[in-house]
Amino acid sequence: MEGTGPVDAVVNLLIGLGLPGVIIITLGFAVHRLYNRNQELLDTMVETGRETVKAQKTATASINRLSDLLLRGKAPE
């Protein structure tokens, strides 16, 4: 009796491909996972960049306000 389940089908496919085929499939899978992880990191970097720009704008506004206070002796209206 020969197995016909999905696991048996995968095993038979891997046996049919041989070692070079299995290595190629494994490397392809690894590259795919690395690509996905790289995309996640790029998305995180973009979001971090946006937050940094917001923080820099806020800091610049605060510095300008403090400068006005120090130079003019009062806060701008």
Side-chain angles (χ1 to χ4, degrees), residues 25-64:
I25 288 173
T26 303
L27 288 174
F29 181 73
V31 167
H32 177 72
R33 291 205 43 181
L34 286 172
Y35 174 80
N36 286 342
R37 181 64 181 140
N38 187 51
Q39 286 304 114
E40 291 173 8
L41 291 172
L42 287 174
D43 292 344
T44 301
M45 287 174 59
V46 167
E47 186 60 34
T48 301
R50 287 185 185 131
E51 293 298 320
T52 300
V53 168
K54 287 179 190 176
Q56 287 174 340
K57 286 180 181 179
T58 301
T60 300
S62 296
I63 290 169
N64 288 340

Side-chain angles (χ1 to χ4, degrees), residues 8-22 25:
D8 291 331
V10 170
V11 169
N12 289 334
L13 174 65
L14 294 176
I15 290 171
L17 291 173
L19 185 59
V22 171
I25 288 173

